[in-house]
Amino acid sequence: MRKYVIMGVQGSGKGTQAKMLREDLDLVHISVGDIFRWHVRQHTKIGAQVKRAMAAGELVGDDLVAEVVRRRLGIHDWNYGFVIDGFPRNGRQAEFFMESYDIDAVIHLELPDDEVRRRVLSRRLCPNCGMDYNLIADRPEVEGRCDICGHGLITRADDTPEALEARLTDYHEKTRPVLELFRRKEVVHDVDGRPPVDEVQSAIRKTLGLSGYRADG
Ligand code: AMP
């Protein structure tokens, strides 16, 4: 059983790296942002509560976040473990989490703010099947269309320059202290988020003492 948290500013590749770990290690990937986006799409009560904060790039209230995480982990479909992404984002969330679950490792993807801006503002999403694209590194074959389902691509409502600046400020102010908290428990593994995706995945495997990524042969 492996219980991992993956942290890093938006655009650092958390989601991509978490999905690669999930596929190879049979982990459940839990993205709090994806859960909220699902609620917004489905027009649920939670969706109505989080829509405005999300569009502005602000954090959703801690109680609601804790409730969503508790419910998701309460499903207990994670026989081999989980990798959680986008949580905890501040001290209160970290305290709730550490009281309830032991964490084996925190993977911290490091990326300078300028690189974050470059990446995030070129990010595109298929609202139909959820596939992510990036106009710099991972372009769709036909401009503006999803390679998988052909649906038109959109920019995430919170990937505007204003929302991004709000999230960067929030990250530095609130999420950094969470990292410091985890550092005191000696579970943090710092990984450079700048290299290509496969190299970052290999570095994560190495520092966690896992078998090599398949691209390593
Ligand atoms: P993400 O996909 O992780 O960038 O999350 C998208 C948005 O969902 C964030 O900008 C917040 O509005 C909200 N959100 C996701 N995770 C959290 C969290 N742990 N605490 C508060 N808000 C969150």
Side-chain angles (χ1 to χ4, degrees), residues 86-159:
F87 175 90
R89 289 257 243 274
N90 62 30
R92 262 194 78 202
Q93 293 181 9
E95 275 161 29
F96 147 75
F97 199 43
M98 287 195 291
E99 275 165 21
S100 314
Y101 306 93
D102 332 303
I103 299 303
D104 297 309
V106 173
I107 304 153
H108 173 221
L109 291 178
E110 297 183 289
L111 200 71
D113 284 0
D114 278 348
E115 178 63 13
V116 172
R117 291 188 186 96
R118 204 175 75 90
R119 284 189 187 185
V120 169
L121 298 177
S122 62
R123 194 150 74 166
R124 297 293 180 273
L125 173 73
C126 174
N128 186 44
C129 72
M131 188 75 187
D132 286 312
Y133 294 88
N134 187 291
L135 303 185
I136 306 167
D138 193 9
R139 302 179 69 87
E141 274 173 28
V142 177
E143 201 184 319
R145 293 268 146 213
C146 179
D147 293 348
I148 310 288
C149 70
H151 199 283
L153 301 181
I154 57 160
T155 303
R156 265 172 50 168
D158 56 350
D159 280 352

Side-chain angles (χ1 to χ4, degrees), residues 2-193:
R2 299 181 167 115
K3 287 176 261 169
Y4 299 139
V5 168
I6 188 158
M7 292 184 66
V9 68
Q10 284 72 24
S12 60
K14 277 178 307 189
T16 305
Q17 297 298 332
K19 281 178 196 149
M20 290 165 92
L21 283 172
R22 171 192 70 187
E23 273 157 29
D24 249 27
L25 302 171
D26 265 337
L27 305 180
V28 168
H29 170 216
I30 299 171
S31 157
V32 176
D34 282 352
I35 295 175
F36 284 148
R37 276 185 285 279
W38 181 89
H39 281 283
V40 171
R41 275 202 306 276
Q42 303 297 320
H43 302 285
T44 67
K45 202 170 145 201
I46 291 180
Q49 285 171 277
V50 302
K51 197 172 174 185
R52 196 204 53 80
M54 283 185 81
E58 289 164 12
L59 291 187
V60 168
D62 292 333
D63 293 340
L64 186 55
V65 172
E67 178 57 28
V68 161
V69 171
R70 202 179 287 122
R71 259 201 245 168
R72 179 62 190 85
L73 288 172
I75 297 175
H76 283 290
D77 56 347
W78 35 280
N79 295 342
Y80 296 100
F82 59 78
V83 52
I84 189 158
D85 133 22
F87 175 90
R89 289 257 243 274
N90 62 30
R92 262 194 78 202
Q93 293 181 9
E95 275 161 29
F96 147 75
F97 199 43
M98 287 195 291
E99 275 165 21
S100 314
Y101 306 93
D102 332 303
I103 299 303
D104 297 309
V106 173
I107 304 153
H108 173 221
L109 291 178
E110 297 183 289
L111 200 71
D113 284 0
D114 278 348
E115 178 63 13
V116 172
R117 291 188 186 96
R118 204 175 75 90
R119 284 189 187 185
V120 169
L121 298 177
S122 62
R123 194 150 74 166
R124 297 293 180 273
L125 173 73
C126 174
N128 186 44
C129 72
M131 188 75 187
D132 286 312
Y133 294 88
N134 187 291
L135 303 185
I136 306 167
D138 193 9
R139 302 179 69 87
E141 274 173 28
V142 177
E143 201 184 319
R145 293 268 146 213
C146 179
D147 293 348
I148 310 288
C149 70
H151 199 283
L153 301 181
I154 57 160
T155 303
R156 265 172 50 168
D158 56 350
D159 280 352
T160 61
E162 297 74 25
L164 174 61
E165 290 311 314
R167 281 184 292 161
L168 276 172
T169 306
D170 240 24
Y171 181 78
H172 292 303
E173 280 176 9
K174 298 184 183 147
T175 314
R176 288 246 160 223
V178 174
L179 259 178
E180 295 317 314
L181 236 134
F182 284 132
R183 272 192 210 288
R184 272 180 249 142
K185 301 214 169 267
E186 302 188 349
V187 286
V188 179
H189 296 255
D190 295 306
V191 175
D192 184 354

